Amino acid sequence: MKIGYVHIPKCAGSALSWAIHESLGLRRVHISAMSDQPSENDPHQLVWGSLAFAFARNSPFISGHTSYSEMKRLDRDFIFTVLRDPRERLFSWFTYNRARAMDPQVIERHPELIKRRDQCFVEALNDAVDINPLATRLLKDRMNPEDLRRMAEDQAHDESTLEQKRSVIRNALKRFDQVYCGPDLQDVLDRLVGDAGIPPTLANVRNTSEKQPSYEIGCSHTEFCEVVDRYTWMDCLLYREAARVFKHNPFAPLKSMDEFVHRITTRFDLAL
């Protein structure tokens, strides 16, 4: 069986990919994007029709920032993805990129990231993040970009509109053989043993309980909640639909906004 993992950034995918590559005895290969032309700035980009593409098609496992349709073109027999609480994922994206901006080796390769050293949370979102990135990544091969952008930005919550969006999301999710929920990587790996036939393996999970650095948010508590809701409301809708479609897999209940704020203020010093 040839397995494809549609890796959504900041959903513990790197640790999961490492574990699967190790269990299969493969050299780790990560695909950052698919393209018709090679890129000097992105060595992990896979070019259609290239020699690397031919090797990838024959590999028993591929992980990458791809769409479902791209994984199908890579001749995958079993395609899965892993989701995470959208609000926690969003804040994880912010802290990850702040840490990268402080790393001289990263800045040497990506000088454009240096501006993120001084960006507050709101500035970073406005500068670099798609609204509702979980949903837009999983729907991008099903809708044209403009329609998808409008859908992600439209926060109309009347039941008729919501059901239309749920239907679009459900149909996109049902293409996958499995959709799992982090952050329990060991549970995901154990399920992949039965679902995809990978050898049993252990997840290498880091301890993240210690207090982290201080971060400036750049707005009031109320405005912070509004911004987070704007960037994640459709991702939360997708998460709930995934829990319904793949109800045999354990999905942790989404935290309320108050629970989310309490969790991150417990782990981080935030200037709200």
Side-chain angles (χ1 to χ4, degrees), residues 5 7-21 28 30 63 65 96 185:
Y5 171 26
H7 174 186
I8 299 172
K10 307 317 301 167
C11 290
S14 296
L16 183 61
S17 294
W18 272 113
I20 297 173
H21 277 99
R28 183 174 185 262
H30 171 72
S63 170
H65 300 323
Y96 168 75
L185 295 188

Side-chain angles (χ1 to χ4, degrees), residues 113-130:
L113 296 180
I114 197 167
K115 64 183 177 181
R116 294 187 181 166
R117 290 181 178 177
D118 300 317
Q119 284 181 331
C120 67
F121 177 74
V122 174
E123 290 170 338
L125 292 188
N126 291 335
D127 182 56
V129 178
D130 291 330

Side-chain angles (χ1 to χ4, degrees), residues 52-65:
F53 173 76
F55 277 111
R57 287 183 70 180
N58 290 316
S59 174
F61 174 69
I62 296 173
S63 170
H65 300 323

Side-chain angles (χ1 to χ4, degrees), residues 2-264:
K2 292 193 287 188
I3 305 167
Y5 171 26
V6 176
H7 174 186
I8 299 172
K10 307 317 301 167
C11 290
S14 296
L16 183 61
S17 294
W18 272 113
I20 297 173
H21 277 99
E22 195 169 276
S23 74
L24 295 172
L26 300 173
R27 180 175 66 89
R28 183 174 185 262
V29 177
H30 171 72
I31 301 171
S32 61
M34 307 291 293
S35 177
D36 294 324
Q37 298 293 330
S39 170
E40 294 181 359
N41 299 324
D42 189 355
H44 300 295
Q45 185 171 275
L46 186 63
V47 179
W48 297 111
S50 65
L51 182 61
F53 173 76
F55 277 111
R57 287 183 70 180
N58 290 316
S59 174
F61 174 69
I62 296 173
S63 170
H65 300 323
T66 66
S67 67
Y68 175 90
S69 298
E70 288 168 338
M71 278 296 180
K72 288 299 287 185
R73 289 184 65 182
L74 286 162
D75 291 342
R76 300 297 95 186
D77 304 307
F78 180 90
I79 301 174
F80 75 96
T81 192
V82 179
L83 304 180
R84 178 183 181 184
D85 185 301
R87 298 180 184 115
E88 292 198 346
R89 181 204 167 275
L90 185 70
F91 202 79
S92 175
W93 173 89
F94 170 65
T95 59
Y96 168 75
N97 281 289
R98 174 64 69 86
R100 292 183 74 211
M102 299 297 180
D103 186 332
Q105 293 182 335
V106 172
I107 293 301
E108 186 176 347
R109 298 192 305 271
H110 303 284
E112 72 279 4
L113 296 180
I114 197 167
K115 64 183 177 181
R116 294 187 181 166
R117 290 181 178 177
D118 300 317
Q119 284 181 331
C120 67
F121 177 74
V122 174
E123 290 170 338
L125 292 188
N126 291 335
D127 182 56
V129 178
D130 291 330
I131 294 176
N132 295 286
L134 288 181
T136 53
R137 280 184 174 274
L138 294 184
L139 296 175
K140 67 180 182 179
D141 61 338
R142 302 274 291 186
M143 302 176 66
N144 71 61
E146 185 60 26
D147 287 344
L148 183 55
R149 183 190 63 79
R150 283 198 297 265
M151 180 177 172
E153 291 180 351
D154 176 20
Q155 286 185 261
H157 292 321
D158 64 276
E159 189 54 36
S160 175
T161 302
L162 284 175
E163 184 50 39
Q164 289 176 0
K165 293 177 180 178
R166 289 191 195 104
S167 178
V168 171
I169 289 169
R170 278 195 302 270
N171 289 334
L173 289 170
K174 286 178 179 179
R175 299 176 297 169
F176 286 84
D177 294 286
Q178 290 291 349
V179 174
Y180 303 108
C181 173
D184 187 348
L185 295 188
Q186 192 58 59
D187 178 76
V188 174
L189 286 167
D190 291 344
R191 288 176 179 275
L192 283 168
V193 172
D195 294 339
I198 71 165
T201 189
L202 297 176
N204 182 15
V205 181
R206 295 179 301 170
N207 183 1
T208 59
S209 59
E210 60 188 54
K211 192 78 170 182
Q212 299 295 315
S214 175
Y215 294 106
E216 183 181 350
I217 298 303
C219 60
S220 68
H221 178 279
T222 299
E223 291 168 328
F224 173 72
C225 294
E226 291 173 350
V227 168
V228 170
D229 184 54
R230 177 171 177 259
Y231 275 85
T232 63
W233 75 268
M234 195 165 81
D235 286 352
C236 291
L237 194 67
L238 179 140
Y239 185 98
R240 294 187 183 99
E241 287 304 307
R244 293 188 181 99
V245 174
F246 297 91
K247 56 187 176 184
H248 50 281
N249 293 334
F251 276 73
L254 283 179
K255 296 178 179 64
S256 68
M257 186 66 76
D258 287 343
E259 290 171 329
F260 162 68
V261 172
H262 174 74
R263 177 172 168 79
I264 62 172

